[in-house]
Amino acid sequence: MRRLNRKKALNFVKELDAFPKVPESYVETTASGGTVSVLAFTAMALLAFFEFFVYRDTWMKYEYEVDKDFTSKLRINIDITVAMRCQFVGADVLDLAETMVASDGLQYEPVIFELSPQQRLWHRTLLLIQNRLREEHSLQDVLFKNVMKGAPTALPPREDDPTQPLNACRIHGHLYVTKVAGNFHITVGKAIPHPRGHAHLAALVSHETYNFSHRIDHLSFGEEIPGILNPLDGTEKVSADHNQMFQYFITIVPTKLQTYKVSADTHQYSVTERERVINHAVGSHGVSGIFMKYDISSLMVKVTEQHMPFWQFLVRLCGIIGGIFSTTGMLHGLVGFCVDVVCCRFKLGVYKPKSMSVFDGHVNSRSPLLSENAEH
């Protein structure tokens, strides 16, 4: 009777314990439990390591809005080499209102049209990058994030000292035009003002000297940013006829670039190309030369570099740790259950209670041998 009262007292004390104890089976050291713990901590360490690199990475956010700036000037950056002597060609801009824009910012430099070996290697590399950009549009984000770090896209100077005559003209510099559609062109003869527009003095130039083979080393709009590649950079065209017209139809999109390295107002553009031989006898009319007709989009793109907030990084880390703990616990329990089922089904092992030693009428000095009914 005394033992029964003692047992009831112990049970009552356990019920009053504000901090319940876990079953002893939860703290048993087993080989399977240790293996699962090692795997869980390894997975947590790896995922936390990779998550840190995700936290360090940035991405570009694109937003679109109406461009309300109609008063500012648009800058055109030009670097084009034409396979004709400088005294035979002229470049200028004519906007939609038939207003001729002064081309004082352009320089005419006599050069050799053929590239040196190092320049040709640079040009081929640029063309390969342009082809990859056309196939993988996401690479443009990489260029935006690494502006001011990339190498300049301008053609490097020649490393040799050629003795052949200078048979080409490099037209480079910049122009400021109004933000309306216009036409930048390079054709035969120097441009002269005209009450109804403008004209080129082409009468004194022989048709046999016409050769509008050209290479566009750089063409951009707005603020010039090192490291940014434009669609026409590296374009090279070879004329198959003396009277040939090359046309580029360009759509300009105002762009505000905001990254952790630079903040600039620039412009992106898309382009379609067309070329044809001028032959009035078959109805192909026009003027031989290089014509770039551009139009400006009414929408503006805001490109902003963004970064994951620190609090979101902590939340993701907590999710990784808690998810792995829960998953490994469930898997460990499921595997243990399946092993027990297989062992019982195929009788690979029979459950037997552990041997109990008797001390002072108790099992393992804890549980009484006699039940409550037996003591009664």
Side-chain angles (χ1 to χ4, degrees):
M1 193 68 179
R2 182 185 302 172
R3 292 176 181 174
L4 179 60
N5 294 335
R6 181 182 178 184
K7 180 180 179 182
K8 290 182 178 180
L10 290 175
N11 291 335
F12 181 74
V13 171
K14 289 181 178 180
E15 291 177 358
L16 293 178
D17 193 354
F19 302 95
K21 305 299 185 293
V22 298
E24 294 184 0
S25 60
Y26 284 16
V27 295
E28 290 181 357
T29 303
T30 60
S32 61
T35 303
V36 170
S37 299
V38 171
L39 294 177
F41 283 111
T42 302
M44 281 188 288
L46 289 175
L47 291 178
F49 180 74
F50 293 137
E51 187 66 26
F52 176 73
F53 283 97
V54 174
Y55 168 71
R56 288 187 56 194
D57 194 18
T58 59
W59 64 90
M60 308 306 294
K61 181 181 178 181
Y62 293 83
E63 298 176 314
Y64 303 90
E65 61 183 38
V66 177
D67 184 17
K68 301 178 182 179
D69 183 11
F70 301 105
T71 58
S72 62
K73 295 288 185 176
L74 174 64
R75 172 170 170 161
I76 305 178
N77 308 296
I78 303 164
D79 192 349
I80 302 176
T81 301
V82 185
M84 292 182 64
R85 296 183 181 274
C86 291
Q87 61 266 29
F88 296 153
V89 295
D92 61 286
V93 177
L94 193 66
D95 62 16
L96 191 62
E98 298 295 330
T99 303
M100 180 178 174
V101 179
S103 57
D104 299 336
L106 296 181
Q107 301 179 16
Y108 295 79
E109 178 184 351
V111 294
I112 299 175
F113 188 77
E114 293 296 328
L115 298 176
S116 66
Q118 291 294 331
Q119 288 178 327
R120 181 58 62 182
L121 178 61
W122 176 91
H123 186 260
R124 290 175 180 174
T125 304
L126 179 60
L127 292 180
L128 289 176
I129 297 174
Q130 290 283 33
N131 291 333
R132 289 298 303 274
L133 283 173
R134 294 186 184 99
E135 297 173 359
E136 302 288 341
H137 299 287
S138 59
L139 292 178
Q140 186 65 45
D141 291 352
V142 180
L143 293 179
F144 280 147
K145 290 190 289 186
N146 291 275
V147 292
M148 306 302 291
K149 281 187 175 182
T153 57
L155 184 69
R158 300 183 70 96
E159 73 280 359
D160 56 356
D161 189 11
T163 58
Q164 59 190 35
L166 305 177
N167 58 356
C169 182
R170 179 191 174 199
I171 304 174
H172 60 97
H174 60 270
L175 299 170
Y176 288 94
V177 299
T178 55
K179 297 183 69 173
V180 296
N183 180 6
F184 169 76
H185 52 270
I186 302 174
T187 187
V188 179
K190 300 299 181 180
I192 58 174
H194 192 272
R196 294 187 177 182
H198 77 298
H200 287 262
L201 294 176
L204 302 178
V205 182
S206 173
H207 282 76
E208 299 299 325
T209 62
Y210 286 16
N211 184 5
F212 284 100
S213 300
H214 62 280
R215 181 177 58 253
I216 304 175
D217 295 322
H218 181 76
L219 179 66
S220 64
F221 299 87
E223 185 178 349
E224 192 172 2
I225 305 175
I228 295 295
L229 291 180
N230 299 279
L232 286 178
D233 291 354
T235 300
E236 187 174 40
K237 299 289 184 180
V238 177
S239 179
D241 192 272
H242 292 294
N243 296 324
Q244 190 157 355
M245 173 189 287
F246 296 91
Q247 292 177 303
Y248 299 93
F249 301 93
I250 301 173
T251 301
I252 305 172
V253 181
T255 304
K256 284 189 175 181
L257 182 62
Q258 182 73 41
T259 68
Y260 291 107
K261 299 181 181 68
V262 64
S263 176
D265 292 335
T266 183
H267 292 73
Q268 302 178 86
Y269 65 88
S270 61
V271 60
T272 55
E273 306 174 11
R274 182 190 179 191
E275 57 183 84
R276 59 187 176 92
V277 176
I278 302 301
N279 189 346
H280 300 287
V282 297
S284 179
H285 303 292
V287 179
S288 302
I290 306 167
F291 296 85
M292 299 181 178
K293 298 182 179 181
Y294 60 88
D295 195 4
I296 303 176
S297 173
S298 59
L299 292 179
M300 181 178 63
V301 181
K302 296 179 65 176
V303 184
T304 308
E305 186 176 7
Q306 293 192 336
H307 188 274
M308 180 188 297
F310 183 69
W311 65 266
Q312 188 175 354
F313 171 67
L314 295 180
V315 171
R316 291 168 67 98
L317 278 183
C318 294
I320 290 174
I321 297 173
I324 291 179
F325 265 122
S326 302
T327 304
T328 53
M330 289 187 294
L331 290 178
H332 184 236
L334 179 62
V335 171
F337 175 77
C338 293
V339 170
D340 292 341
V341 171
V342 171
C343 290
C344 294
R345 175 67 178 83
F346 296 100
K347 298 182 178 179
L348 298 178
V350 180
Y351 175 77
K352 294 181 180 180
K354 296 181 180 180
S355 59
M356 297 178 292
S357 57
V358 180
F359 295 98
D360 192 24
H362 290 74
V363 179
N364 293 332
S365 300
R366 292 183 180 180
S367 303
L369 286 175
L370 299 178
S371 61
E372 297 182 8
N373 295 332
E375 292 204 5
H376 281 293

